[in-house]
Amino acid sequence: MSDMFEDFKKYLPRYLSSLSSKELFDGLKDFPENMNKRFYTDEISLDEDIIYQGDGIRDLPFIVFPSTRTGNLKAVILTNTCDNDINNKRLNTSYICYSPLILLDSYKESLLKDSQQSKESVRGHIDSIKRQEATQFFYFPRGGNLENDSIIDFSLICSCTNKSIARESLRQKRLFSLSNYGFYLLLFKMSIHFCRMGENIDRR
């Protein structure tokens, strides 16, 4: 196990201070028993007008086709921080991608209503999500301004134009920003879900 974590250090972000790198490394060693408020940071001011990758934000527009019904909901930003910066000059229109925050209890209840699912299988599935083992989901423990355990489903994504998110109201709308630990886990899960190399298909 110790050899594995020594190898893991090679992939830690290089821009972190030695103290931040140690805190991140120690957090990863304790995973998944430390799924708690250390997911979030107070170091990033909620007054900033920057939308960070992994931020939880209220009142983002959402639609799921083929339904044409729209609404606003809490969501997690998936687009990288650089592309969210409205000060970056582009020739094209910039969009921000995000996935809705789903209450874990509500998701669990929806599964239990399905007569095809046993309580044991649902319990095992929820435990797997909370341990970050289910690659389709990312688990957000209660913390920051997030009052309840929640999840996002990487297969459920929407987008809006960058400029349609008013920066002057971010202070009221931002639920949380991720710590180094939470952010690194998010990137790791996203890479597994979207960028698997071992699909075992010879494309020739």
Side-chain angles (χ1 to χ4, degrees):
M1 181 66 72
S2 61
D3 290 340
M4 181 189 73
F5 277 106
E6 288 303 315
D7 291 339
F8 201 49
K9 282 183 177 179
K10 300 174 184 177
Y11 303 99
L12 296 182
R14 301 296 182 187
Y15 55 81
L16 299 179
S17 67
S18 57
L19 177 60
S20 293
S21 293
K22 183 179 185 303
E23 290 175 348
L24 172 57
F25 184 65
D26 289 343
L28 292 171
K29 284 197 296 185
D30 294 335
F31 177 83
E33 282 72 28
N34 58 357
M35 304 287 284
N36 51 31
K37 62 182 180 181
R38 77 173 62 188
F39 247 60
Y40 311 104
T41 181
D42 295 325
E43 298 300 318
I44 295 177
S45 172
L46 296 182
D47 295 337
E48 290 191 42
D49 62 358
I50 300 172
I51 297 176
Y52 297 94
Q53 188 175 32
D55 275 3
I57 297 181
R58 296 183 179 93
D59 299 328
L60 292 179
F62 202 81
I63 184 171
V64 178
F65 295 107
S67 169
T68 57
R69 185 179 63 183
T70 61
N72 291 341
L73 42 68
K74 300 174 183 176
V76 173
I77 303 298
L78 300 181
T79 307
N80 67 70
T81 303
C82 181
D83 285 342
N84 297 332
D85 190 346
I86 57 176
N87 294 315
N88 286 340
K89 304 301 181 183
R90 302 176 178 85
L91 295 178
N92 61 302
T93 301
S94 174
Y95 293 86
I96 292 181
C97 297
Y98 45 88
S99 183
L101 274 165
I102 303 167
L103 292 177
L104 185 60
D105 284 344
S106 297
Y107 176 67
K108 180 179 179 180
E109 290 174 7
S110 69
L111 294 178
L112 290 173
K113 289 179 180 178
D114 184 350
S115 61
Q116 302 297 317
Q117 307 296 337
S118 67
K119 290 184 178 179
E120 291 75 16
S121 63
V122 170
R123 185 183 305 112
H125 177 60
I126 297 300
D127 287 344
S128 177
I129 289 176
K130 294 180 73 171
R131 292 193 302 269
Q132 302 289 17
E133 294 174 349
T135 59
Q136 183 177 342
F137 300 94
F138 191 85
Y139 166 64
F140 290 86
R142 182 180 62 182
N145 291 320
L146 188 64
E147 297 178 350
N148 300 284
D149 289 354
S150 302
I151 59 173
I152 59 172
D153 181 341
F154 288 126
S155 67
L156 192 58
I157 296 175
C158 196
S159 65
C160 67
T161 59
N162 201 333
K163 293 182 179 179
S164 66
I165 302 179
R167 293 336 193 245
E168 60 270 16
S169 62
L170 272 180
R171 180 180 181 182
Q172 293 77 33
K173 291 187 175 183
R174 197 186 330 248
L175 292 165
F176 57 78
S177 288
L178 295 177
S179 66
N180 289 326
Y181 172 57
F183 178 59
Y184 196 65
L185 283 180
L186 176 66
L187 294 186
F188 184 67
K189 290 292 294 288
M190 287 177 65
S191 68
I192 291 175
H193 183 76
F194 291 109
C195 307
R196 297 181 198 174
M197 297 297 291
E199 65 175 8
N200 294 322
I201 296 175
D202 184 358
R203 293 174 178 268
R204 300 197 178 184

